Amino acid sequence: MAFQDFDLISQRRQEEKKKKFKQRLILAFVVSVIVILLAAAAVCFAIYKTNRNHHASAHAHPPPPPSKPKTAQNVVKSVCANTDYKKTCEDSLLKEVKNNASATPMDILRASLAATTREIDAVAKQARDVKFDTPIKKAALNDCLVLLKDARDELNSSMASIKGADISKMSTAKPELNNWLSAVISYQQTCLDGFPEGADKEKMKKILEGVRMLGSNSLSVVSQVSAVLSKAEASGGSQRRLLSFDEPAWMQQHRRILKADGAKFTPNVTVAKDNTGNFTTINAALKAMPKKFKGRYVIYVKEGVYDETVVVAKDMVNVTMYGDGSQKSIITGAKNFVDGLPTFQTASFVAIGAGFMAQSLGFRNMAGPEKHQAVALRVQSDRSIFVNCRMEGYKSTLYTQTHRQFYRSCYITGTVDFIFGDAAAVFQNCMIYVRRPAENQQNVVTAQGRAEKRETTGIVLQNCKILADEKLEAEKGKFKSFLGRPWKQYSRVIIMESEIGDLIQPEGWKEWSGDSGLKTLFYAEFNNKGPGSATKDRVKWAGYKTLKRDDVLKFTVGPFLQGEDWLKAADVPVRFGMFS
């Protein structure tokens, strides 16, 4: 029994030892946890204190904000900053490139052209739904729809011509794009000009406003993209293949065929009123021209007066028409404004197809001064050439509507605004004879229609003669005659190295309506001669310029028409620089 009690005591003692050991372990664990927590608290306090000091220092010297990532919105805002219609620019471009964070100059340029095209489509659709109640307004609307289609076609051509390739081609692409976009703006203005003043014209103006703004913006974008690519090329940047310009087929053919044939024409067909040719009318000869004709289609017009309204249509490219002399082979008509036609529809002859060339032909409108606007020749053709031709009319004789045009040794007569339009047109060695107007009229030689400041258009008279014809000469004291007046806000006319007769008033130029355009126009005279050339009493308008020789050079045939290649190829007489 005793040994049994001893065993029980020993067992109890062991259990008590285990219990104490366990308690010591628990106590040690708790102490360790407390120490760790205290250490962590100390670390947190140190971090807190450091951060607080750093925060206080940051207020005194805040770090620069992080740079924003490049986004389409940032690019668009930058491009649109220099346009005249910023919000319109931003809204239209963002629709095209909003999901393109790495938009290139090429993307922006395409987006601008595409936005203008869409606007033209929307305007054309809206215009078709407008109802007008008079024949003249209905005719003007029909003209609008034709002009809007022309604008769309040329924008499509411009977009198709720009492809990813060598940026060095931008020097070629820029003037071509400027040429097409200037024409788009001109088409919009021509559309509007067909409507008489009043509520309906204001309605159309509102409808067309978007085309005008987007066209202006696109011209600005072309300049900016060109500048960016030029810098990239100059610095040897990595974006070496951004942009190229592909010449249209008609342009390549125009250059190649003219260079091969020169001024010696071999006709494809002959027109003769006496039945000695293939056709008796010019329209019949044009109608017989094969579709998609490759090369230059040459029509010889034998001596005779052809009383027909001739239209060289858009798809008739590279047509050459020549006659037996400007007073022998004559196209004539008598359509006019007073008889109910818009000016746009009064022309006896219309050249639309690109690359048109006329030589030794006469163009007449016989309506007379009392019939107001009566066009003898309307030219819409790009890179068109007129040599030894004669344009005879009274008010609005020659409508230089759009694109690039060159006139050499031509004879042009008229009374009011008889050389007018919104083309880039150069006249060299031309005889410009002012006629006797109606009793209540004053004579004005030019009425240039540049409506936006970025348009690359204007009328240049170089080495020409501006004189009174025989009938006016006898009565020139009875009628006032002027060099020009501003048809549109940014009208541009340069007269250089020319002879100006004493029929021109000392002030030289005439306002159109009050002070409209007088600050924004660009009129200049340089190195002229003759009794009417003195400039000391000329108008004091802000837009009337005194130019130096270097300023004038940019309005010569080479830079102004990009004429070095196509006029050389045509082998026509031309002076690319100054005559003296």
Side-chain angles (χ1 to χ4, degrees):
M1 254 328 257
F3 288 105
Q4 290 177 350
D5 290 341
F6 178 80
D7 291 338
L8 290 173
I9 292 170
S10 297
Q11 186 177 358
R12 284 199 299 269
R13 287 178 177 173
Q14 288 176 359
E15 289 176 354
E16 287 175 0
K17 286 181 180 180
K18 288 179 180 180
K19 185 177 180 180
K20 288 180 179 179
F21 180 75
K22 189 176 182 179
Q23 288 174 345
R24 284 197 294 269
L25 285 176
I26 292 172
L27 179 62
F29 175 77
V30 171
V31 170
S32 299
V33 170
I34 291 172
V35 170
I36 291 170
L37 290 175
L38 289 173
V43 171
C44 289
F45 177 78
I47 293 173
Y48 166 76
K49 187 173 182 180
T50 300
N51 285 345
R52 185 176 181 181
N53 291 337
H54 179 74
H55 182 66
S57 175
H59 277 291
H61 304 284
S67 60
K68 294 182 180 179
K70 179 183 178 182
T71 66
Q73 188 173 12
N74 292 339
V75 174
V76 166
K77 282 184 175 295
S78 176
V79 168
C80 293
N82 292 326
T83 62
D84 290 338
Y85 310 100
K86 294 182 179 59
K87 188 176 187 309
T88 299
C89 179
E90 291 175 7
D91 292 346
S92 62
L93 293 184
L94 281 174
K95 287 179 182 178
E96 292 291 321
V97 298
K98 62 182 177 181
N99 296 321
N100 186 356
S102 57
T104 66
M106 181 64 175
D107 296 325
I108 296 297
L109 183 55
R110 282 177 172 162
S112 182
L113 297 175
T116 308
T117 303
R118 279 201 312 273
E119 181 66 18
I120 289 172
D121 287 340
V123 165
K125 183 177 180 181
Q126 190 176 355
R128 288 189 193 97
D129 295 333
V130 179
K131 305 299 179 184
F132 294 111
D133 56 359
T134 65
I136 190 74
K137 293 175 185 177
K138 290 177 181 178
L141 176 60
N142 289 334
D143 292 344
C144 276
L145 296 177
V146 170
L147 289 161
L148 288 169
K149 185 178 184 306
D150 288 343
R152 192 186 194 286
D153 289 346
E154 292 184 20
L155 277 170
N156 284 338
S157 296
S158 66
M159 286 190 288
S161 69
I162 304 170
K163 298 178 181 178
D166 191 348
I167 66 173
S168 64
K169 296 291 184 69
M170 187 59 191
S171 60
T172 304
K174 182 184 177 183
E176 298 300 324
L177 290 170
N178 285 337
N179 168 50
W180 284 321
L181 287 167
S182 295
V184 168
I185 293 173
S186 178
Y187 293 145
Q188 176 263 338
Q189 286 294 316
T190 303
C191 167
L192 192 60
D193 290 334
F195 291 90
E197 296 297 330
D200 287 330
K201 184 170 185 174
E202 290 302 312
K203 182 191 298 183
M204 284 303 300
K205 185 177 182 180
K206 187 175 181 181
I207 292 172
L208 292 164
E209 185 69 3
V211 175
R212 183 180 69 84
M213 291 191 295
L214 288 171
S216 172
N217 286 345
S218 292
L219 281 168
S220 175
V221 171
V222 168
S223 293
Q224 291 183 70
V225 169
S226 176
V228 168
L229 295 182
S230 296
K231 287 181 181 178
E233 183 179 16
S235 62
S238 60
Q239 298 185 40
R240 297 296 302 172
R241 299 181 64 80
L242 291 176
L243 185 66
S244 76
F245 171 73
D246 284 349
E247 289 184 338
W250 72 263
M251 193 185 297
Q252 298 167 7
Q253 294 163 9
H254 174 81
R255 184 169 17 258
R256 184 174 61 252
I257 299 299
L258 282 178
K259 191 168 185 177
D261 293 346
K264 298 176 182 178
F265 305 120
T266 301
N268 296 88
V269 293
T270 298
V271 179
K273 292 189 73 67
D274 60 5
N275 286 308
T276 59
N278 306 99
F279 304 97
T280 58
T281 68
I282 299 169
N283 278 315
L286 287 169
K287 187 176 180 181
M289 180 178 176
K291 298 294 182 185
K292 298 182 180 179
F293 183 82
K294 293 186 181 300
R296 180 154 284 273
Y297 192 71
V298 180
I299 300 173
Y300 168 39
V301 182
K302 295 183 75 173
E303 182 175 351
V305 177
Y306 298 83
D307 189 356
E308 54 179 315
T309 300
V310 178
V311 178
V312 181
K314 187 190 301 184
D315 59 347
M316 298 175 181
V317 301
N318 291 331
V319 171
T320 289
M321 204 174 290
Y322 72 100
D324 289 322
S326 64
Q327 297 187 76
K328 293 181 178 180
S329 300
I330 301 165
I331 301 98
T332 190
K335 293 180 178 179
N336 61 85
F337 180 80
V338 171
D339 289 346
L341 289 175
T343 305
F344 184 75
Q345 294 185 20
T346 64
S348 304
F349 191 102
V350 180
I352 301 175
F356 177 77
M357 182 174 179
Q359 184 164 316
S360 303
L361 288 174
F363 306 92
R364 284 182 186 165
N365 191 307
M366 303 298 291
E370 70 280 356
K371 293 292 188 175
H372 297 289
Q373 292 93 333
V375 178
L377 171 65
R378 174 166 68 86
V379 185
Q380 187 178 326
S381 169
D382 188 27
R383 299 193 177 201
S384 51
I385 302 170
F386 295 83
V387 179
N388 295 328
C389 289
R390 191 178 183 98
M391 299 84 175
E392 296 180 77
Y394 288 88
K395 185 172 184 179
S396 307
T397 303
L398 174 56
Y399 189 176
T400 59
Q401 185 189 342
T402 56
H403 294 304
R404 293 163 293 192
Q405 307 175 15
F406 178 69
Y407 299 80
R408 175 76 181 204
S409 302
C410 291
Y411 184 102
I412 308 161
T413 69
T415 55
V416 183
D417 307 333
F418 64 96
I419 301 175
F420 76 110
D422 192 24
V426 175
F427 298 78
Q428 277 188 358
N429 292 31
C430 290
M431 302 294 294
I432 300 170
Y433 276 99
V434 183
R435 306 177 86 167
R436 186 188 190 282
E439 291 297 327
N440 61 343
Q441 292 179 335
Q442 296 179 339
N443 290 317
V444 183
V445 176
T446 67
Q448 205 278 330
R450 185 166 166 254
E452 291 288 331
K453 64 184 178 184
R454 292 186 175 87
E455 285 186 77
T456 54
T457 60
I459 291 172
V460 178
L461 307 181
Q462 184 182 21
N463 201 40
C464 295
K465 294 181 184 293
I466 303 172
L467 305 170
D469 77 349
E470 290 182 2
K471 289 185 178 179
L472 179 63
E473 181 67 29
E475 298 185 80
K476 62 187 177 186
K478 184 178 177 181
F479 301 96
K480 290 185 176 182
S481 298
F482 301 89
L483 296 172
R485 59 176 181 161
W487 184 25
K488 302 297 179 187
Q489 198 73 13
Y490 293 91
S491 180
R492 181 159 61 184
V493 180
I494 297 91
I495 302 176
M496 64 175 84
E497 302 179 300
S498 295
E499 179 182 341
I500 302 176
D502 62 0
L503 74 160
I504 298 299
Q505 295 296 301
E507 60 267 37
W509 307 83
K510 178 178 173 57
E511 71 282 351
W512 184 278
S513 177
D515 61 357
S516 177
L518 302 188
K519 294 181 180 179
T520 50
L521 59 77
F522 188 105
Y523 287 167
E525 300 170 61
F526 180 81
N527 201 24
N528 296 308
K529 61 184 179 180
S533 65
T535 58
K536 64 183 180 64
D537 294 323
R538 286 297 196 247
V539 293
K540 307 303 180 186
W541 306 336
Y544 180 76
K545 309 295 183 182
T546 300
L547 302 181
K548 296 181 179 178
R549 185 182 179 84
D550 288 345
D551 301 322
V552 175
L553 284 172
K554 66 182 179 182
F555 296 109
T556 56
V557 170
F560 195 56
L561 300 183
Q562 299 80 54
E564 292 282 356
D565 57 350
W566 58 280
L567 286 171
K568 280 182 179 177
D571 196 25
V572 298
V574 57
R575 179 66 63 93
F576 291 104
M578 306 293 288
F579 280 81
S580 59

